[in-house]
Amino acid sequence: MSSDLVLVTGVSGFLAGHVVRDLLGAGYRVRGSVRDARKGGHVRKVLEAHGADTSGLSFVTLDLMSDGGWQEAMAGVDYLVHTASPFVTHIPKDEGEIIRPAVEGTRRALAAALGTGVKRMVVTSSEVAVARGHGKGLGRPLTEADWSDVEAPDMTPYFKSKTLAEREAWAIMERAGRRDDLTVVNPGFILGPLLDADMGTSGAIIHKMMAGKLPGSPDLNFTIVDVRDVAALHVRAMTDPGAFGHRVLASSGSVGMRDIALALAEAFPAYAGKLPTRRLPAFLVRLVGLFDADARASVRSIGLRFEMEHGLAEEMLGRPLIGWREAATAMAQTLLDQQLV
Ligand code: NAP
């Protein structure tokens, strides 16, 4: 057990809730950042409902787009876990709406941490900073040496935001001569149990599937990882020397949307008729994309499949990653438990 203090940014988020639960369970004290001070009380209640002892949890208000409060927030902090970033699937008119908070927030978080003696930093990046912009793929499993190409035409503003923010993180740490004090976690598409009724962007996709809102499954593939694994990797990354200075790819590779629908139909037969188990031709997705922003964004990923090298993640966990079926089923189960479908 460690009573070190960890600053976790974006604690109102899906992933961060699990990270904080694990940290508190391991005895750490957690200072969680929210951009709206009113969210702290809700986060505490949700964690307590899941059995967490929140006596070591406090909150600070920080906005990725504002300089205010970062230095003060880092006072006495041993570890930074920076998860906050806009996570959206739509394509805004101004891509800067997504890119600026991601990049500037990373800069603010790391600069403040470096300036106040924080020991180690863990930053949440994404598979989209590794695996995108390579056309139809590289024909081999992706490794931590691979970077998405921000100039490529299939990069969405979100993909660019994660790639540029992660590049910024490494550049800052290198300039400070402290590369090995950073670990970046690059999760695939995160599923697994929700802690509350806020389904977020991850939950919204499984929700659309369960609620019968998709007419079928296009040839879209997801690199699924379970939120419990991603949270555990963030916690291990703080102290596992094997992860220092590395990008931890967290997912084994692509799973077809239709395979997910079929697995959910098997696990939840009452929803089989609603799940998109039929194939949807690409031209229909393009058609739907004319009026649906999510479909428009996903058109760029149709047909893309890849494998990801995930040995370091499994070494850190000391076991295989949780499988995609379990992750998808666990998320669907919590959507049902929360009466969201
Ligand atoms: P989420 O539930 O939407 O959480 C995002 C968090 O970032 C929220 O706490 C949000 O605060 C905060 N945030 C966004 N913009 C902010 C701003 N301008 N200032 C301060 N805080 C801001 O998303 P998530 O799924 O947990 O994602 C967490 C991290 O994992 C992100 O870095 C995301 O890119 C990364 N990731 C997610 C997935 C996935 O499939 N979920 C996959 C790969 C990587 P509010 O509650 O106030 O909005």
Side-chain angles (χ1 to χ4, degrees), residues 14 17 27 50 55-56 94 153 158 176 200 260 280 287 305 332 335 339:
F14 167 48
H50 288 274
S55 54
D94 170 14
Y158 175 68
I260 301 167
L280 192 69
L287 200 65
R305 293 186 71 85
L335 286 171
Q339 299 180 331

Side-chain angles (χ1 to χ4, degrees), residues 11 28-29 38 50 60-61 132 136 172 188 218 232 241 259 286 340:
V11 285
Y28 288 99
R29 290 172 298 131
R38 288 167 300 184
H50 288 274
V60 279
T61 307
R132 303 305 171 116
K136 288 290 170 206
I172 291 171
D259 293 329
R286 289 195 184 92
L340 294 168

Side-chain angles (χ1 to χ4, degrees), residues 141-144 247-253 307-313:
L142 291 145
T143 74
E144 65 170 307
R247 305 172 82 201
V248 183
L249 307 195
S251 177
S252 55
E307 300 304 315
M308 303 216 338
E309 188 285 323
H310 52 285
L312 176 54

Side-chain angles (χ1 to χ4, degrees), residues 9-16 33-36 39 62-65 82-87 101 124-127 158 162 187-191 198 200-202:
T9 62
V11 285
S12 53
F14 167 48
L15 167 62
S33 87
V34 281
R35 61 173 151 174
D36 175 349
K39 285 199 175 175
L62 294 172
D63 195 304
L64 299 174
M65 291 297 282
H82 178 50
T83 78
S85 206
F87 178 41
T124 318
S125 182
S126 169
E127 153 262 308
Y158 175 68
K162 296 307 288 180
F189 184 52
I190 306 176
L191 297 180
D198 177 1
T201 299
S202 279

Side-chain angles (χ1 to χ4, degrees), residues 184-206:
V184 169
V185 181
N186 298 77
F189 184 52
I190 306 176
L191 297 180
L194 295 166
L195 292 181
D196 67 358
D198 177 1
M199 66 176 96
T201 299
S202 279
I205 292 180
I206 298 296

